[in-house]
Amino acid sequence: VINSGVAAQAGQIVVLQAADDAKTIVVKDYAGSTDNIRIGADVTLDDAQDTVTLMWNGSAWNMIASSAAGVPS
């Protein structure tokens, strides 16, 4: 779940990036009624250059690009 504390506007974009190679971040795909990330599959950010770009459609964050290995952009 992405929760910024402020209501997202449709079309808003967020880019998530790993802080460094030593920390692995897993962006989890929609798993239940309270989740709001719909990306088709979990995305692992395990390199400092890995990113995933999401856009809010009014009800969920959808992936529009990713540089993570093994994930089509």
Side-chain angles (χ1 to χ4, degrees), residues 3-71:
N3 184 353
S4 66
V6 179
Q9 300 296 314
Q12 185 172 346
I13 293 175
V14 63
V15 178
L16 306 176
Q17 182 173 14
D20 62 51
D21 295 344
K23 298 181 187 211
T24 298
I25 304 298
V26 178
V27 182
K28 303 292 283 179
D29 185 34
Y30 177 84
S33 62
T34 60
D35 292 339
N36 64 2
I37 300 174
R38 298 180 189 232
I39 53 179
D42 294 352
V43 176
T44 300
L45 308 176
D46 57 4
D47 184 275
Q49 285 74 43
D50 286 351
T51 63
V52 63
T53 304
L54 307 170
M55 183 168 51
W56 182 252
N57 70 3
S59 62
W61 292 98
N62 293 279
M63 183 169 64
I64 57 174
S66 175
S67 68
V71 176

